[in-house]
Amino acid sequence: MKQGLMVVISGPAGSGKGTVNAHLLATGEYVYSVSATTRAPRKDEVDGINYHYITREEFEERIAADGMLEYTEYCGYYYGTPRKEAEEVLASGKNLILEIEVDGAMQIKKKFPNAVLIMLLPPSYAAQENRLRGRATETEEKILARLAKAKIELEYLPRYDYVVYNENGGAEACAEQIRAILYAEQFATSRHPDAVRAFFDDAEA
Ligand code: 5GP
């Protein structure tokens, strides 16, 4: 059976990843990989839906047992993609979306060279700062840490396959653009290694 697409969507804090993904997932064409994290749930976040919230000890046990497809430490907390769920989704032929940061994205690209890496960006750094402050779920110290992190994350942009801009209030348009990218990706020649052989085999039949 055909393997599903491994799709990585990264974006600095305030890029609106969550909202864009919600639009993308609404159609049921993609499965969202629920990460594990050691940070506490935010208001409105639900265990098992947004993240699997686990302790540092549990996280380190999972790393030791090779239970994470990739993982990183981000602003003092562990974040990682549970291996088993991800592999099961891909093997079933469904497309999997990983909403992860740059370090994890590079680990995935190494393990899955065919993965599609998409970076979602706010229109500008200033817009990003406004969004983060507007969210008001974090302390000033955390906001500054996330803004500093964004500068580093931007350096990884050339290693991504695509960039999509989330203009103000444009989450639905972004989801549409990502859908178009993924639609085209299924026709990439690299995803059809047996095309020539199959073409001639068929002619003989
Ligand atoms: P937040 O705390 O805002 O939910 O997430 C912080 C950062 O961690 C975001 O950039 C998010 O995309 C990233 N992240 C979430 N889950 C994972 C994961 O499983 N692996 C990695 N490498 N990053 C993740």
Side-chain angles (χ1 to χ4, degrees), residues 55-180:
T55 63
R56 282 189 84 81
E57 293 72 50
E58 285 172 307
F59 203 106
E60 283 167 0
E61 279 168 20
R62 293 226 207 157
I63 296 170
D66 199 21
M68 294 294 178
L69 208 50
E70 60 73 37
Y71 72 93
T72 197
E73 242 184 307
Y74 179 97
C75 295
Y77 303 107
Y78 277 126
Y79 293 84
T81 303
R83 172 189 299 282
K84 194 162 165 277
E85 285 102 306
E87 288 179 345
E88 280 170 6
V89 170
L90 292 174
S92 75
K94 295 197 188 108
N95 301 322
L96 183 69
I97 296 206
L98 308 188
E99 186 195 310
I100 63 177
E101 52 66 69
V102 293
D103 177 37
M106 295 304 114
Q107 296 173 46
I108 292 292
K109 190 71 183 177
K110 210 164 163 194
K111 285 189 186 157
F112 300 83
N114 248 342
V116 186
L117 268 52
I118 302 173
M119 177 81 85
L120 187 66
L121 289 182
S124 66
Y125 185 77
Q128 182 196 7
E129 188 167 357
N130 278 340
R131 280 188 200 171
L132 272 186
R133 293 193 189 286
R135 185 154 83 189
T137 51
E138 271 115 338
T139 60
E140 179 65 16
E141 191 192 347
K142 291 247 165 80
I143 290 173
L144 290 177
R146 281 167 185 258
L147 284 170
K149 189 86 182 166
K151 288 191 175 154
I152 299 166
E153 285 169 330
L154 261 284
E155 289 172 17
Y156 285 80
L157 184 59
R159 294 159 77 179
Y160 277 67
D161 301 301
Y162 299 94
V163 57
V164 170
Y165 292 94
N166 189 2
E167 305 292 342
N168 289 333
E172 205 165 346
C174 281
E176 207 43 59
Q177 287 159 5
I178 292 173
R179 231 177 256 127

Side-chain angles (χ1 to χ4, degrees), residues 36-43 45 50-54 59 74-79 135 138 142 146:
T37 184
T38 56
R39 86 149 160 73
R42 291 195 189 115
K43 192 165 93 35
E45 286 184 346
N50 301 93
Y51 284 105
H52 300 291
Y53 301 94
I54 62 177
F59 203 106
Y74 179 97
C75 295
Y77 303 107
Y78 277 126
Y79 293 84
R135 185 154 83 189
E138 271 115 338
K142 291 247 165 80
R146 281 167 185 258

